Amino acid sequence: MSKYVLTILDTTGIQSYIFNSNRLRENIGASYLVEWSTKYLVEEKLAELGVPKDRQNEPIESSGLIAELIYAAGGNATILFRSIDDAKEFTKKLSRQILLEAPGLNIVAARSEFDWEEDSLYEKVKYLQKEELEKQKRARIPSVPLLGLGVTAFCKSTQLPAVKTSAGYFEGEETEHYLISRETEAKLKATSPQYKQLANRDLREKFEDVLKDTDYEFPYRLDRLGRSSGKSSYYAVVHADGNSMGNRFKEFGKSSQDNRDYINRMRKLSKSVNEAGKNAVKKVIQVLINSLENGELKEKISIKNDFLPFRPLVYGGDDITFVCDGRLGLELAAIFLQEFQKQEVADGKLLTACAGVCIVKSHYPFARAYQLSEALCSNAKKFVREQNQEFSAIDWHIAASGLLGSIGEIRQREYQVKQGDLTMRPLFIEGENTQDISDNKWCNWSNFTKVIQTFNNHEIWKGRHNKIIALREKLREGKEATKEFRKAYKIDNLPHIEGGDGGVLQEEGWTEGRCGYFDAIEAMEFYFPLNKVGEK
């Protein structure tokens, strides 16, 4: 028998589900529940139907089992079943448990009969993803239950009817109790010590090879990210996403010789991309531990109870989100991108990504900060597409106060002056395997960091904060004002920028309508170089 049933599961509104709360522990719990629902629970339900976990990847055409798991992770899963009844029973069991244990997480399923001998699995998967799943998402009628009566109390995070308070989930911590819904309760259970701290345990296991022989732990509160009382109370949200990964999966699958080759290719590429994301995060953790052990970071960052000033929220694959102390956001994002593009993946092509970094004050709403980091990542991706070349890029925004409007509106309002654009971002991230970009090649991470280091360490600038602030204001006024500033302070040239227009940047601060120094001055308090050698 060669006729099977192809089933694809997908989650809708993942970003909203994970990041709609301003409480970090709820974001952590939500992220864990997404992976639990679409990976661990999928494997568990297949096992209940008679497909042992250690045999779920065996070829369905020869194993004698009722199903073969092609792929499961990152909010979606693809499975082959022997019959429509098996597929329906699996979906029923899975969706029921998700409703009970991960309320608020929405799963859609699409399935189609599939002839192993006659049909192309690549084409069938493409059809289900493009047509049926999208149709399901559009046609899905959201549940509209009676949310409450006039006397109902509401959850502070989801605005759904509250079922209890947060009391009892984190005993011994000095934290205010608040009303929670069933959705929030499920997220808190995933992080609570009273419920086995599943999210932290899962995260620790994934990065155990980096954390072993240390006492460091991942924090689950923003105030444990290293903020220094009276000095710096900022945190950074970093969102990174691989470039053109959807097309790469399609192209790699399209060139498969047959259906079995297609399955093998998808598994290899998925596994290698997932490992690439984890390896890049491991590099970030290694660098952090290195700098802490050497003492250089502890002088700047307040470490409490061995909590790292860093917490991955979404990790593995090409979609990564983490939070950290605000002074580390730019450096850690760059380290992640540089390490990510060193990784080798199954299709043999260069791996690149873009990152958006939003740095905000400690009490700024986390959900809004994440939205901004996502928008900044999209801005960097647009920059990459415009250059029509393969490279990684980074964009960021530092909010010393509140944020009003979109990134485009903020840039237009705060960074456009008569002379042109005060920013040089997004920036090209150099790497061992990346090619140079022909246009604006001076707008790169290396130049940006070298300018900051010159302002911090060169005898002309070191300790002269007022002089640097004066330069910032003259840069706003344009080229002539900048040249007058140099003459007044008897400065031959501004810090060197490699690839600048024949020294014009060093003389005037501007070239081709863009300023080469404003970004560096603004970011001086939010960039701290870390020790990348001598890893543990």
Side-chain angles (χ1 to χ4, degrees):
M1 178 180 176
S2 63
K3 289 189 176 181
Y4 307 114
V5 176
L6 176 65
T7 298
I8 298 181
L9 305 172
D10 197 7
T11 47
T12 64
I14 290 181
Q15 304 302 327
S16 174
Y17 181 76
I18 296 176
F19 298 109
N20 69 352
S21 171
N22 292 321
R23 294 177 172 85
L24 182 59
R25 57 166 58 99
E26 292 175 19
N27 308 129
I28 294 167
S31 177
Y32 171 77
L33 288 175
V34 170
E35 183 170 14
W36 170 79
S37 299
T38 54
K39 186 177 188 301
Y40 305 138
L41 189 59
V42 166
E43 294 171 351
E44 180 184 316
K45 294 306 168 186
L46 285 175
E48 288 181 11
L49 291 174
V51 186
K53 290 185 180 181
D54 60 348
R55 298 187 62 191
Q56 290 176 0
N57 292 143
E58 290 187 12
I60 193 170
E61 67 271 29
S62 59
S63 68
L65 299 170
I66 67 164
E68 178 183 357
L69 178 59
I70 297 175
Y71 174 76
N76 55 75
T78 304
I79 312 165
L80 273 177
F81 290 95
R82 285 196 180 276
S83 71
I84 189 73
D85 290 338
D86 293 329
K88 287 181 176 179
E89 181 66 15
F90 167 81
T91 306
K92 182 174 74 173
K93 285 177 173 289
L94 182 80
S95 57
R96 175 179 172 79
Q97 192 154 349
I98 289 173
L99 282 170
L100 291 172
E101 299 191 36
L105 183 61
N106 297 313
I107 301 284
V108 293
R111 51 178 170 258
S112 175
E113 291 188 347
F114 172 76
D115 191 312
W116 184 268
E117 302 296 338
E118 301 293 332
D119 296 332
S120 164
L121 188 55
Y122 165 77
E123 293 294 341
K124 190 68 74 171
V125 168
K126 185 171 75 169
Y127 166 75
L128 285 181
Q129 289 177 335
K130 187 176 181 180
E131 302 293 337
E132 292 301 318
L133 278 177
E134 289 304 313
K135 188 190 300 182
Q136 290 259 20
K137 291 175 183 178
R138 291 193 300 269
R140 180 178 172 272
I141 301 175
S143 175
V144 189
L146 179 62
L147 292 181
L149 303 172
V151 295
T152 302
F154 294 96
C155 171
K156 280 195 171 183
S157 298
T158 64
Q159 301 307 306
L160 295 171
V163 296
K164 60 196 309 185
T165 74
S166 60
Y169 289 94
F170 294 89
E171 293 291 345
E173 291 192 21
E174 295 180 6
T175 182
E176 180 186 353
H177 298 148
Y178 56 96
L179 296 168
I180 60 174
S181 61
R182 285 188 64 245
E183 179 180 323
T184 302
E185 179 187 18
K187 295 173 182 178
L188 289 179
K189 280 183 177 180
T191 58
S192 171
Q194 278 67 41
Y195 291 87
K196 300 181 181 179
Q197 226 171 359
L198 296 174
N200 262 16
R201 285 174 55 189
D202 185 65
L203 183 62
R204 177 93 193 187
E205 287 174 8
K206 284 182 169 60
F207 298 104
E208 182 60 32
D209 54 336
V210 187
L211 295 171
K212 64 182 179 182
D213 302 325
T214 78
D215 294 322
Y216 294 112
E217 295 288 345
F218 294 109
Y220 45 85
R221 286 171 53 180
L222 289 174
D223 60 4
R224 290 178 173 172
L225 285 171
R227 55 188 279 197
S228 303
S229 178
K231 294 182 179 180
S232 179
S233 292
Y234 288 83
Y235 71 88
V237 182
V238 179
H239 175 69
D241 193 20
N243 294 331
S244 305
M245 291 308 300
N247 290 333
R248 286 176 64 164
F249 271 89
K250 290 177 183 177
E251 290 174 8
F252 196 53
K254 189 175 183 178
S255 59
S256 55
Q257 298 176 358
D258 53 36
N259 291 330
R260 179 50 53 191
D261 185 40
Y262 170 78
I263 292 174
N264 291 336
R265 280 171 172 262
M266 290 300 97
R267 284 176 179 161
K268 287 179 181 177
L269 186 55
S270 298
K271 182 179 179 181
S272 60
V273 172
N274 187 58
E275 287 300 312
K278 285 204 298 185
N279 288 340
V281 174
K282 285 180 181 179
K283 175 67 173 183
V284 171
I285 298 170
Q286 286 175 337
V287 169
L288 268 178
I289 292 176
N290 221 28
S291 297
L292 287 168
E293 295 298 306
N294 289 343
E296 57 180 313
L297 190 55
K298 285 186 177 179
E299 296 176 4
K300 299 278 186 179
I301 306 294
S302 176
I303 303 299
K304 300 175 183 177
N305 300 325
D306 290 322
F307 284 114
L308 288 170
F310 168 83
R311 172 81 199 208
L313 291 175
V314 178
Y315 46 90
D318 66 303
D319 189 339
I320 305 289
T321 302
F322 61 81
V323 292
C324 61
D325 183 276
R327 293 160 291 182
L328 300 175
L330 293 175
E331 175 76 336
L332 294 186
I335 291 170
F336 173 84
L337 292 175
Q338 289 165 343
E339 186 65 22
F340 187 71
Q341 62 192 21
K342 290 179 184 178
Q343 305 298 312
E344 295 182 1
V345 290
D347 66 354
K349 296 180 181 179
L350 176 66
L351 195 59
T352 63
C354 289
V357 185
C358 183
I359 302 172
V360 294
K361 286 193 172 180
S362 58
H363 295 295
Y364 188 82
F366 182 85
R368 172 66 173 149
Y370 171 76
Q371 290 174 354
L372 275 237
S373 71
E374 200 174 29
L376 289 161
C377 182
S378 297
N379 209 40
K381 282 177 170 285
K382 180 182 177 183
F383 170 60
V384 171
R385 289 194 299 271
E386 289 172 349
Q387 299 296 324
N388 198 30
Q389 290 178 280
E390 287 294 322
F391 59 92
S392 297
I394 184 172
D395 197 2
W396 68 88
H397 184 74
I398 301 168
S401 56
L403 292 168
L404 180 63
S406 67
I407 285 297
E409 291 168 340
I410 292 170
R411 294 270 166 90
Q412 182 64 36
R413 183 176 65 244
E414 299 182 14
Y415 296 97
Q416 290 296 320
V417 295
K418 186 176 181 180
Q419 190 72 59
D421 188 349
L422 283 166
T423 71
M424 58 189 289
R425 55 194 134 138
L427 299 184
F428 163 54
I429 296 284
E430 309 94 323
E432 296 176 2
N433 303 319
T434 53
Q435 54 187 318
D436 235 358
I437 53 175
S438 56
D439 298 329
N440 297 322
K441 63 181 180 181
W442 61 274
C443 298
N444 60 58
W445 179 254
S446 177
N447 276 334
F448 168 75
T449 56
K450 286 176 181 176
V451 168
I452 290 181
Q453 290 173 20
T454 300
F455 281 137
N456 280 327
N457 301 317
H458 195 280
E459 59 183 10
I460 295 177
W461 305 101
K462 186 176 181 180
R464 292 170 170 82
H465 181 72
N466 290 338
K467 181 194 287 190
I468 295 173
I469 295 303
L471 171 60
R472 183 184 66 183
E473 297 311 308
K474 293 303 178 183
L475 288 168
R476 280 188 175 277
E477 296 175 23
K479 295 179 179 179
E480 294 304 318
T482 303
K483 287 195 288 187
E484 290 300 320
F485 168 86
R486 284 180 40 246
K487 290 178 183 178
Y489 280 92
K490 298 181 181 180
I491 298 171
D492 292 334
N493 285 299
L494 297 177
H496 177 69
I497 291 181
E498 189 70 31
D501 185 12
V504 172
L505 268 170
Q506 286 79 35
E507 294 175 6
E508 302 177 347
W510 288 80
T511 183
E512 300 175 353
R514 299 188 75 178
C515 181
Y517 300 94
F518 194 89
D519 279 345
I521 294 173
E522 185 183 62
M524 284 179 65
E525 295 180 15
F526 298 93
Y527 171 74
F528 183 71
L530 299 176
N531 188 349
K532 302 180 183 67
V533 297
E535 299 169 1
K536 286 179 71 67

